[in-house]
Amino acid sequence: MTIPIPEHLRARFELKAHVGRPLSDEDPGGLLRLHGPEAADPTALFARLRATYGQVAPVLLPGDLPVWLVLGYQANLDVARTPYPYTRDSRLWNLADRVPAGWPLGPTVDWEPTCAFTDGPAHARVRSAVTDSLDDLDRHGIRRYVVRYTKMLVNEFIRTGKADLVGQYAERLPMFVMTRLLGMDEADGPRLADAARDLMTGSDTAAASNDIIVTALTDLMESKKGQPGNDLTSWLSTHESGLSDVELHGHLRLVLIAAYETTANLIANTLHMILTDRRFRASLSGGHMTLTDALEGMLWDELPLSVVPGRWASGDSMLDGWRIEAGDMLLLGPGAANVDPEIRPDLSVPMHGNRSHLAFSAGPHRCPGEDIGRAIADTGIDTLLTLLPDMQLTVEQDEVRWDYVMLSKRLSELPVQFQPRPPVALSSGTFSGRSRRAAAAAGCPVTGAASTTA
């Protein structure tokens, strides 16, 4: 179903000189919604849009706000790597005055003075605080946390012989790890995991969930002012870039949300593949494919976020024949780009180990924390499979339920059964928090840096 373009916006799409291509063969002058029933199957929606419009398509966000969705692999690279005229400054949006109160995507596109919404020298200054602080993390310490929290979560259901690997595991593990890396108490993990997931679905309660996260981070900042520690919050607050309180808060929220959402979905999607694809699981168990390579394959075909807002045009430009006007919003479409026929004519060819996917974007805003997500997913899945090697789905493969939301599709649940067992012993979970600089000063080697957000 297409939605007629409002009269005051019709010229923006019908008269923008899209070279050699009509708007829509099915309903000229209409646009598809990128949410709701029309978007229930993202793969089919992307294919339909690509066939009709090419590498860039006009679509509607909630509130029927028209934006551009970038579909092609090369077009996504061009936009992501070109801060001008495709900037991250959302204050330029020419439809901002039409955004309704409580707009569900507000928390993800409202401008903040963070590396996610700045470019040029301003971006370099604040991003350096994030990358330097993330580089101070010891990868082995992070993995020890992952092992501890995996065991802790498994112990909650190991005696029952059944579990939902989405709600009871994949959605909780990343938040437990990230709250501790930020210097929060592990008791905050479940509450913030629920709030983060609700926020990213763009639900009617997204604004309220965002408030929960904002309050928790505000309290964290206040506590660290009086008692700094070996954690990301303390390192960010004392970085030489001199982050203000507003900048510090924004980056803490960015790190927490970005690391949680992508990693939770990656864990759930990979576990789904292991449980439903016998050849995939056999390749892993037989040593023909490493879990690290398998994760890269998942980041091609079942990436955590299929649509990412966004970029805003700081000037007029042409993109795949469309005239993009100053102030237009563009959405990056890594989900569509990763299956672009121009780079993947045969989707059956495995991409295991290939890191040229766009799951973590590209250019100046490429996610600097992708390695933390990989470390949490890799270690978490490996530990879970070691503890419960006999897990099996309790439903047929075609009965597994998915939620289809604006930015991605995600598993609703992944019910499994296994032989009941007694709880496993927990490791101490001790994480020195020692930075690479501190370790170097003490003459101790630190292997591997890890990072986390966008």
Side-chain angles (χ1 to χ4, degrees):
M1 176 183 179
T2 54
I3 308 301
I5 303 175
E7 285 298 326
H8 67 281
L9 298 174
R10 184 173 297 276
R12 295 179 56 73
F13 292 116
E14 290 188 349
L15 302 180
K16 276 197 171 181
H18 185 249
V19 177
R21 197 178 296 133
L23 259 180
S24 172
D25 295 332
E26 297 181 12
D27 184 4
L31 297 182
L32 288 169
R33 286 187 172 124
L34 201 58
H35 59 98
E38 294 89 349
D41 185 347
T43 301
L45 176 62
F46 294 152
R48 179 180 176 186
L49 290 170
R50 195 193 313 274
T52 303
Y53 302 111
Q55 292 203 44
V56 182
V59 294
L60 296 172
L61 288 182
D64 286 347
L65 299 173
V67 299
W68 301 100
L69 173 61
V70 187
L71 300 163
Y73 184 89
Q74 187 58 51
N76 269 274
L77 284 179
D78 291 343
V79 173
R81 291 173 173 174
T82 313
Y84 304 99
Y86 307 120
T87 175
R88 285 288 295 161
D89 191 342
S90 61
R91 295 172 296 183
L92 299 176
W93 194 14
N94 49 27
L95 296 181
D97 60 345
R98 300 185 184 277
V99 175
W103 193 51
L105 294 181
T108 63
V109 303
D110 289 344
W111 187 87
E112 290 184 314
T114 68
C115 60
F117 290 101
T118 53
D119 291 294
H123 173 257
R125 180 181 72 85
V126 294
R127 183 178 168 102
S128 68
V130 176
T131 55
D132 289 349
S133 297
L134 292 173
D135 282 347
D136 275 348
L137 292 172
D138 171 17
R139 182 188 296 272
H140 294 298
I142 294 172
R143 291 185 183 274
R144 287 195 294 271
Y145 264 156
V146 176
V147 172
R148 171 178 169 78
Y149 290 128
T150 294
K151 291 179 177 180
M152 187 176 73
L153 291 171
V154 167
N155 278 348
E156 293 182 2
F157 52 74
I158 195 170
R159 290 184 183 274
T160 69
K162 60 182 181 180
D164 168 21
L165 294 184
V166 175
Q168 292 180 277
Y169 183 68
E171 291 183 352
R172 300 182 68 190
L173 177 64
M175 189 60 77
F176 272 82
V177 175
M178 289 310 303
T179 50
R180 292 309 300 273
L181 294 181
L182 289 176
M184 305 174 79
D185 192 279
E186 68 182 29
D188 293 319
R191 178 173 61 97
L192 293 180
D194 291 341
R197 183 164 181 83
D198 183 59
L199 171 64
M200 293 305 296
T201 62
S203 72
D204 293 339
T205 56
S209 294
N210 186 59
D211 289 342
I212 292 174
I213 295 171
V214 167
T215 299
L217 294 178
T218 300
D219 293 343
L220 173 65
M221 288 172 54
E222 289 301 314
S223 69
K224 292 301 176 182
K225 285 182 179 179
Q227 191 174 3
N230 287 318
D231 50 67
L232 281 172
T233 302
S234 300
W235 297 339
L236 282 168
S237 65
T238 58
H239 189 266
E240 60 186 11
S241 61
L243 297 182
S244 67
D245 283 353
V246 173
E247 291 172 333
L248 173 60
H249 190 284
H251 283 97
L252 290 175
R253 178 180 173 276
L254 178 64
V255 168
L256 189 67
I257 297 300
Y260 162 75
E261 172 69 7
T262 55
T263 309
N265 287 349
L266 178 58
I267 292 173
N269 291 343
T270 305
L271 287 172
H272 172 259
M273 180 64 74
I274 291 172
L275 291 167
T276 59
D277 190 320
R278 292 182 179 179
R279 288 182 298 178
F280 188 90
R281 186 163 186 165
S283 294
L284 280 177
S285 61
H288 303 295
M289 174 177 62
T290 67
L291 183 54
T292 299
D293 286 343
L295 288 173
E296 296 307 319
M298 295 302 298
L299 289 169
W300 275 99
D301 297 322
E302 295 289 348
L303 66 172
L305 293 176
S306 56
V307 177
V308 181
R311 297 293 191 276
W312 289 266
S314 58
D316 295 349
S317 67
M318 296 296 295
L319 187 63
D320 190 41
W322 288 102
R323 181 167 173 243
I324 309 297
E325 292 186 357
D328 284 357
M329 182 197 284
L330 300 92
L331 306 176
L332 296 181
N338 280 0
V339 295
D340 187 342
E342 292 189 9
I343 65 161
R344 293 185 67 189
D346 184 357
L347 296 180
S348 67
V349 176
M351 304 295 284
H352 302 148
N354 187 325
R355 290 196 172 193
S356 60
H357 54 73
L358 297 184
F360 298 109
S361 192
H365 290 276
R366 182 181 175 91
C367 172
E370 57 190 88
D371 285 345
I372 271 192
R374 288 187 175 99
I376 295 175
D378 189 322
T379 305
I381 294 171
D382 184 60
T383 305
L384 179 67
L385 294 177
T386 300
L387 295 174
L388 303 173
D390 56 334
M391 288 188 301
Q392 294 183 337
L393 273 180
T394 59
V395 298
E396 295 297 324
Q397 181 175 343
D398 58 2
E399 294 177 339
V400 174
R401 296 191 297 112
W402 298 80
D403 290 325
Y404 296 91
V405 296
M406 208 289 294
L407 301 180
S408 64
K409 74 170 187 176
R410 43 172 70 92
L411 282 162
S412 302
E413 59 182 0
L414 196 60
V416 297
Q417 61 185 7
F418 48 86
Q419 183 67 34
R421 296 169 171 80
V424 297
L426 294 181
S427 57
S428 66
T430 301
F431 175 64
S432 68
R434 179 169 52 195
S435 72
R436 293 170 64 84
R437 291 190 298 268
C444 302
V446 178
T447 57
S451 32
T452 319
T453 49

